[in-house]
Amino acid sequence: MQPESKRSLREGACSAVLSAPVAAGLTALVWQFPIAVAGTAGHSIGAALSASITMVAFMTLFSIFGGVLAIGIVGAGAGYLARRVGSKAPQIAGIAVGCASAVVVAVADVLLT
């Protein structure tokens, strides 16, 4: 694998994992997000902060690091596929994966409760 491809994998994975908690906070700010041990909250700064912390917990503690691995692998794949579009494309693809993961958690909470 070429160094450019490895860099795209790394950038996509890192940006996906790092953007997921931020996206969870923004989702809670404009809509709602499941907050661990507290139910669902939204439309406030406190809910956004709680959602960010909850997303980190979802990605690490609750799934025994499976969430970080899953989001990272999908982000790496997106970064790899987007590498030919432009120099910032792997990061943008990773951020899109992080945002999608937060929205999936929020929508799943609404549909399953």
Side-chain angles (χ1 to χ4, degrees):
M1 187 176 290
Q2 298 176 359
E4 180 181 309
S5 297
K6 288 181 182 178
R7 181 175 175 219
S8 296
L9 289 170
R10 193 171 46 251
E11 288 175 354
C14 289
S15 59
V17 170
L18 294 175
S19 67
V22 175
L26 291 174
T27 302
L29 192 60
V30 298
W31 189 42
Q32 64 184 12
F33 198 84
I35 307 299
V37 189
T40 301
H43 303 291
S44 70
I45 299 294
L49 294 173
S50 296
S52 296
I53 293 168
T54 299
M55 189 65 174
V56 171
F58 284 163
M59 291 176 9
T60 56
L61 302 175
F62 297 152
S63 62
I64 308 174
F65 295 99
V68 172
L69 183 63
I71 293 170
I73 287 172
V74 174
Y80 181 77
L81 293 174
R83 74 187 185 285
R84 295 190 187 256
V85 175
S87 63
K88 296 293 180 190
Q91 293 96 340
I92 293 170
I95 290 169
V97 168
C99 292
S101 67
V103 170
V104 164
V105 170
V107 170
D109 176 62
V110 170
L111 295 177
L112 297 176
T113 56

